Amino acid sequence: MIDYPRHDKYGWRRWVPSWKLVTGLFLGFLASLMTAGTIAYAVVAIPNPAEAAKAQNNVYYWDDGTQMVATGGEVNRQIIGIEKIPAHMQNAVISAENKTFREDSGIDPMGIGRAVFNMALGEETQGGSTITQQYVKNARLDNQDQTLERKFQELFISMKIDSKMEKSEIMEGYLNTSYYGRGAYGIQAAARTYFDKDAAQLDASQSAFLAALLKGATYYDPAGATSIDPAATREANTERARKRWSWILDEMVKDGHLDVAERQKYTELPQLEKPRKNAQLSGQIGYLVDLAKANFINSNDQGITADDLTQGGYEIHTTFDKKKVQQLEKAVNKVRKENIDPKKRPETDTHVQFGGASVEPQTGKIVAIYGGEDATKHFTNNADATGAQVGSTFKPFVLAAAMRDGVRDPALGPEQGPDTRTIVDPNKSRYSGKNKLKIKNYNGSVWRNEEGKEWLQTNDGQENYGNISLREAMIHSANSPYVQLGMDIGIPEVRQAAMDAGLLESSLTKSNVPSFSLGISEPSAIRMAGSYGTFAAEGKQRDPYSVKLVKHEGETVYEHEDEAEQKFSKAVANNVTDVLRDVVDDPEGTGRKARLPNRQVAGKTGTTDGNKSAWFVGYTPQLSTAIDMYRLNDDEKAKKREFLEMYGTGDRDTIHGSSFPSQIWQDYMSDALKGAKVLEFPEPDPIEGEAVWGGGAVSPKPTPSSSPSESPSASPSESPSSSPSTSPGPSESCNPWEDWTCGVDGGADGGTDQGGGNGGPTSSPSTSPGTDGGVDSGGGNGTGGNGNSGGIFGGSDGNS
């Protein structure tokens, strides 16, 4: 029956199949396909929207295994008939997603072919192109994986639906099973969630907005979703939603679904309800759940998404210690209740926010956070990225880089290569602590900004410290030594040290300006606690995490694996700890208010330019905690998201890292460590470094100096005046309104440095007093630098 190779042919003709064979094979293949298709068509079932509505709860557990909260499947859904869904809503979806819906066969052969082709290449697949196909995808809860088998099943289900159901029924099913964000499944839940009305009352503008959300609520809900993706900010989402909403309305006009006159009435996005959370998620619970969600979504390797989580059925075992969470909240509430009074001081005490996080250095577990007053009212998690700069709490990373990477040594000449370095001993080395120190590049040339202007670095209270060790400079939070030290090391090396400790690159300012070493970057409290924990763990870095184990229907779908890396030698890490212990133990140390009776503590205060944020980050051998405080006007009535000054807040002249943040830290840690074993830090091995003299400081010469109290300058033209003075000399004349490198600073806690914090080299000056070494003159974030940091588990929206 199969004459191949052909018996009556010779040579190459013997191997050319006959037309009968080709035709027979083709018909056989076609018959096989039809048979397989007939069987597949017969066995697939039409989905039931009511079944899709039966999502289960997700159950979250505390670290000890007790239940924290059972929330959701987070599915808020009510099935309604097509007669209750306005024509505007149906037409908005048709115009936006499937213009031929009422005439097509329910499938898009080109779209299916494209998906199969992409799948064969291992590339990302696209969803169903028709409303019918999308309805099938929405209603199938058994498997969300994009596989060839699933695609073929969806193809036959779509064909069966189109032949068995009316178009109105398909539209009803699609709108009742679609996800609109904020836990709202189905058009009725969406109308209630976003507009507090029934679906039947939606107008064309509101319908177009809800249709826009179907593109992906994470990126189109104006409330933002930075806990899932740092790029989903409120501003970015609002702009995306506005553009798509407007486009859908225009398409409705083109398709004859909306009158031009009515379209012209809609010039702004419709007024939305504020996001609401389940009452179970009030207080800190909502922040804990959001953090655990983000950790799981960004860490699992099975492609489980936020949408999958909303279907429920997951057991999520977290690292959160219930008792410590309550203790941290109690410590914050005590300070707020005793000191912050918006009614009494509306100009200074409104918009005050606190954030905090506590991490185990030896494991990376996030045991406690403080995200805000109430997750159902304040939606930003203050323990995660907020945009608050960290100030002088950044200095330990500079010190770590000095001891690990060393300073560049220009004295050996270019033939030795630019990377010849000298490791720095923090005790032997001396740097100039001169107020208004002229900052130089490592090769001795004066650093200048893009306008050619010099930088004069100030200290708190215009203090002149003379030649000072790096240990003493850390104790007093003197700024000049650490700014010059950072320049001598190299800002890229300082940045790398911060990343090696555990900060996300996306949270660090991109500009290589001197002020980088004084904390113009914006890491989260979680990441700051984790990075200090790296020093507590003798240089082993672990990413902070909040989810230990996740099960779905009894099967483990995720389990955290410890991934510790030795980023710093034990000697470097332990010497950083030893220096930070003096910040707390020394009678003049800026962190002295954080002392814990009978326990060793290492830590650092930080306050930023304009007194806009204040921090204390500290640790014991078994627990690292970061506390920050700031004023942020980001409510719906605010024209822009803006950090406000804290002069007068809490009836204090200024807010320092040594004030309320230190008090909260001390109260919390005292309770959190009660009954815990008293551990001591390891004795640090000596750093095999040298005595480096920087910033114009020079080692003593055999010949006596003519002015013992003054350190001679590297060049006569830059020598200090014979008597200390906070006013500039003739060669350093300084008008704060003309020269961004100068200004008046004051306060306590180590000194805020001069100039525009966020403005970069071209910013106007800041003449306001400040504290504890915040942001320095003119450095800011560099030109266009405001890298708005991403969340703890990744990403950045880097406004550059």
Side-chain angles (χ1 to χ4, degrees), residues 277-287 373-377:
K277 287 193 176 181
N278 189 308
Q280 291 177 295
L281 301 178
S282 62
Q284 298 305 303
I285 298 297
Y287 302 121
E373 291 185 81
D374 189 331
T376 63
K377 299 174 183 176

Side-chain angles (χ1 to χ4, degrees), residues 387-695:
Q389 296 178 349
V390 296
S392 285
T393 58
F394 200 82
K395 287 176 182 173
F397 307 126
V398 185
L399 181 61
M403 292 189 287
R404 183 185 69 174
D405 305 314
V407 296
R408 293 169 287 185
D409 190 352
L412 296 178
E415 68 278 1
Q416 303 264 350
D419 290 325
T420 304
R421 291 177 174 271
T422 301
I423 300 300
V424 176
D425 185 301
N427 301 312
K428 300 175 185 176
S429 300
R430 297 288 185 275
Y431 264 72
S432 173
K434 175 187 174 184
N435 189 53
K436 298 192 186 299
L437 178 69
K438 187 175 292 186
I439 300 303
K440 297 182 179 180
N441 296 304
Y442 83 99
N443 61 9
S445 63
V446 175
W447 186 90
R448 297 178 185 274
N449 73 348
E450 56 195 23
E451 295 180 349
K453 294 182 179 179
E454 300 174 351
W455 184 320
L456 304 180
Q457 181 59 55
T458 61
N459 292 317
D460 170 51
Q462 311 298 315
E463 290 286 344
N464 275 299
Y465 292 100
N467 295 342
I468 188 173
S469 74
L470 295 177
R471 181 183 292 271
E472 286 293 323
M474 188 74 78
I475 291 170
H476 296 287
S477 203
N479 298 316
S480 297
Y482 276 92
V483 171
Q484 187 59 60
L485 177 62
M487 297 300 288
D488 292 348
I489 298 166
I491 299 303
E493 284 73 21
V494 174
R495 181 182 287 107
Q496 187 61 53
M499 291 163 55
D500 287 343
L503 299 188
L504 295 173
E505 183 177 10
S506 58
S507 71
L508 301 177
T509 297
K510 307 300 184 292
S511 302
N512 292 331
V513 293
S515 60
F516 182 85
S517 296
L518 292 184
I520 59 174
S521 296
E522 305 158 358
S524 67
I526 293 171
R527 283 285 171 175
M528 286 300 289
S531 64
Y532 272 47
T534 298
F535 300 130
E538 296 190 90
K540 281 190 176 181
Q541 190 271 328
R542 292 174 171 86
D543 281 342
Y545 72 100
S546 58
V547 176
K548 300 185 295 184
L549 179 75
V550 178
K551 293 184 177 182
H552 186 252
E553 297 179 352
E555 181 181 345
T556 297
V557 295
Y558 172 77
E559 188 167 6
H560 175 78
E561 295 182 6
D562 185 31
E563 296 180 356
E565 293 187 64
Q566 192 76 42
K567 294 293 190 177
F568 300 93
S569 68
K570 289 184 177 181
V572 168
N574 291 339
N575 272 277
V576 170
T577 295
D578 194 58
V579 171
L580 295 183
R581 282 187 61 196
D582 278 354
V583 174
V584 177
D585 291 342
D586 192 283
E588 296 183 4
T590 59
R592 59 190 179 275
K593 294 180 181 177
R595 294 173 190 161
L596 297 175
N598 304 316
R599 287 188 186 273
Q600 293 182 351
V601 172
K604 184 71 187 76
T605 54
T607 309
T608 59
D609 185 58
N611 204 206
K612 292 180 180 178
S613 62
W615 291 72
F616 184 80
V617 187
Y619 54 95
T620 65
Q622 63 264 64
L623 200 58
S624 178
T625 300
I627 303 294
D628 66 329
M629 174 183 178
Y630 53 91
R631 292 181 64 214
L632 176 61
N633 186 10
D634 66 346
D635 59 29
E636 292 180 344
K637 297 179 181 178
K639 292 182 179 179
K640 64 177 181 178
R641 189 173 187 271
E642 182 181 16
F643 284 91
L644 307 174
E645 295 176 343
M646 292 192 291
Y647 301 117
T649 297
D651 205 25
R652 304 286 183 94
D653 291 339
T654 55
I655 300 298
H656 318 136
S658 64
S659 57
F660 297 145
S662 291
Q663 181 181 338
I664 292 170
W665 190 96
Q666 205 277 343
D667 285 348
Y668 162 68
M669 291 289 279
S670 295
D671 286 344
L673 295 173
K674 192 173 292 182
K677 185 176 180 179
V678 176
L679 301 178
E680 295 186 352
F681 292 114
E683 282 295 321
D685 293 330
I687 289 293
E688 295 181 3
E690 299 181 19
V692 174
W693 294 70

Side-chain angles (χ1 to χ4, degrees), residues 96-97 208 211-215 220 239-249:
E97 300 187 25
L213 291 176
L214 296 176
K215 182 80 171 174
Y220 288 86
E239 182 60 18
R240 278 189 286 262
R242 186 193 62 77
K243 286 181 178 179
R244 186 160 179 82
W245 162 83
S246 180
W247 174 79
I248 290 173
L249 288 173

Side-chain angles (χ1 to χ4, degrees), residues 447 455 511 513-515 520 740 754 756-757 759-761 775-783:
W447 186 90
W455 184 320
S511 302
V513 293
S515 60
I520 59 174
W740 60 271
Q754 192 41 59
V775 179
D776 312 291
S777 66
N781 290 347
T783 303

